[in-house]
Amino acid sequence: MWEQLQFLGFRPHGPKARISLNNLSAESESAWRRQLKAAIGNNLLLKQATTELVLWFGDIAHDRSIIFAAAEVWGYQLNEAVLLLRDHPDPLVRLRVEALQGLISQAPDAAQLLLQAQAVRLALSTSSNCGAPPRTWIADAEIERLIEAEFEACAKDYGKWIPKTAASGEETHVAMLFEKLSVAFMKINNQLELLASQRKKNERLEFSLQYRIVGKYEEGLPNFDAARFSTDVCLIFEAQESSCLSFTRRASYIQAKRLHGGHEDGKTGSYPIDRLQLDNLALQTHASYLLLIGPCEVAPMPVIPVQLYLDLIARGAASTCIQPDFAASIAKSLASWLVYDVIGLWAGDPRTEVVEKAMGGPGREPYVLAKFTAKKVLVRL
């Protein structure tokens, strides 16, 4: 057992261990906990003595490792360790026992506290999707909800201004929307950095959004099998490891449509669409979408797959405009689409020719090119 305890700095004899738990991967630390549990076996007195030893004299540099080691050793009998040591005379032992109690009672961790604070700031419901499992490769439901809530607040806030600025075209609204999204990305990065420091993680996600306003020259020119490009926004998403090595790069083509007529009293307005534009988009890539710019409580800034709407036209849906209520029933919110489809890698076309076309170039540039990146960043603890 002393072989395992030396990783925490205990050395009753011999030189100091050459390896510290702080230098091991999560997988190796998990293996160390299993070895410690196996070394103790079913000896209850040894289990009690070892637990008190590590909680009392374990170096604070290994604090998190000590907490989870105690949880591993006691397993489903963890509550026995809490009852045994909760009145211990040493304050550090009592503090660590309280941490174990928090594991049992599911006390809010750093991510949950950030979500609570965010909910207060954005006036959100704290119960929304609470306890739901992760839905993307990020593999962290709290982070997914934190990102989605920030995007949704941004979309809702901007959506309220659309009826008041009805005279502006899609170009102005799209540019302003992406400007606000870039601010949301900065807020998200600040929260993820804080979360990583509280969780003692050695890496975290970082998002960046780059966009540029370019000419609309290409929209009327042919592309692939389509008579026209028919694209207002080219969205490129890239995911990178901490080594800055990209493991995917995808493009989505977006046609933006703003709400018309919603500024008039008693009228909800509608989103004018062009059937030929939709046909051209669908011919180029399955990753083509309608972005409806306007207020919507159910799905702020609705996003609809172009092929989905073409299928609905085939069964009788309007081919010249989309009503807001109908859009809300078939669309995803911009926030949900960005998190679970774009970042989650359910959306986007990885084909080289589609990505290169989205990037544009001299004489062949879409109106807006938006590129955002999710990368893992090493953290100094």
Side-chain angles (χ1 to χ4, degrees), residues 199-216:
R199 284 179 164 180
K200 310 298 183 185
K201 293 288 187 180
N202 60 2
E203 66 179 21
R204 63 176 174 85
L205 282 173
E206 181 178 271
F207 292 91
S208 62
L209 173 65
Q210 298 174 334
Y211 66 95
R212 58 187 172 95
I213 306 300
V214 295
K216 208 174 180 180

Side-chain angles (χ1 to χ4, degrees), residues 83-354:
L83 293 173
L84 180 71
L85 296 168
R86 65 183 180 184
D87 296 322
H88 197 277
D90 187 80
L92 179 58
V93 175
R94 296 198 302 272
L95 181 64
R96 285 171 168 170
V97 168
E98 177 64 26
L100 289 170
Q101 179 63 56
L103 294 178
I104 297 171
S105 61
Q106 293 186 320
D109 63 7
Q112 292 166 325
L113 292 174
L114 272 177
L115 283 169
Q116 290 173 10
Q118 182 192 55
V120 173
R121 175 168 55 86
L122 301 178
L124 303 174
S125 170
T126 56
S127 61
S128 178
N129 291 325
C130 187
R135 296 165 52 190
T136 73
W137 59 271
I138 295 174
D140 191 313
E142 279 95 358
I143 287 180
E144 292 169 357
R145 293 202 301 276
L146 186 149
I147 297 170
E148 183 181 14
E150 204 68 56
F151 284 156
E152 184 148 329
C154 171
K156 276 186 176 181
D157 181 61
Y158 186 61
K160 295 174 183 176
W161 287 94
I162 303 303
K164 301 176 183 179
T165 55
S168 300
E170 282 87 358
E171 297 87 355
T172 300
H173 286 304
V174 169
M176 292 180 67
L177 175 61
F178 275 90
E179 182 179 348
K180 290 184 178 297
L181 283 174
S182 67
V183 174
F185 272 110
M186 288 190 290
K187 292 179 181 178
I188 289 167
N189 283 336
N190 290 338
Q191 293 177 82
L192 292 180
E193 184 176 7
L194 177 61
L195 180 59
S197 68
Q198 290 298 307
R199 284 179 164 180
K200 310 298 183 185
K201 293 288 187 180
N202 60 2
E203 66 179 21
R204 63 176 174 85
L205 282 173
E206 181 178 271
F207 292 91
S208 62
L209 173 65
Q210 298 174 334
Y211 66 95
R212 58 187 172 95
I213 306 300
V214 295
K216 208 174 180 180
Y217 173 74
E218 191 181 12
E219 185 170 1
L221 296 182
N223 183 47
F224 302 139
D225 296 328
R228 294 184 176 185
F229 191 26
S230 297
T231 302
D232 289 325
V233 181
C234 285
L235 180 64
I236 298 174
F237 175 69
E238 185 173 8
Q240 297 178 353
E241 297 288 1
S242 53
S243 60
C244 291
L245 180 66
S246 173
F247 64 85
T248 190
R249 197 180 190 203
R250 302 189 181 188
S252 298
Y253 293 175
I254 300 172
Q255 177 65 230
K257 297 297 180 184
R258 69 175 175 87
L259 184 70
H260 281 235
H263 63 287
E264 300 175 24
D265 291 339
K267 294 186 178 181
T268 58
S270 63
Y271 300 95
I273 58 172
D274 184 329
R275 170 66 187 269
L276 290 178
Q277 285 183 336
L278 302 187
D279 287 332
N280 284 324
L281 279 165
L283 282 172
Q284 296 171 77
T285 175
H286 66 278
S288 54
Y289 303 88
L290 279 168
L291 170 61
L292 306 183
I293 303 177
C296 179
E297 286 300 317
V298 177
M301 298 288 173
V303 177
I304 304 172
V306 165
Q307 188 58 60
L308 166 62
Y309 199 75
L310 285 173
D311 291 343
L312 293 178
I313 290 176
R315 67 185 296 269
S319 61
T320 57
C321 67
I322 302 176
Q323 297 298 322
D325 287 347
F326 186 56
S329 69
I330 62 172
K332 284 189 173 183
S333 69
L334 176 61
S336 179
W337 180 71
L338 283 173
V339 175
Y340 301 110
D341 291 59
V342 178
I343 296 175
L345 301 180
W346 283 66
D349 194 327
R351 291 180 296 168
T352 302
E353 62 269 25
V354 175

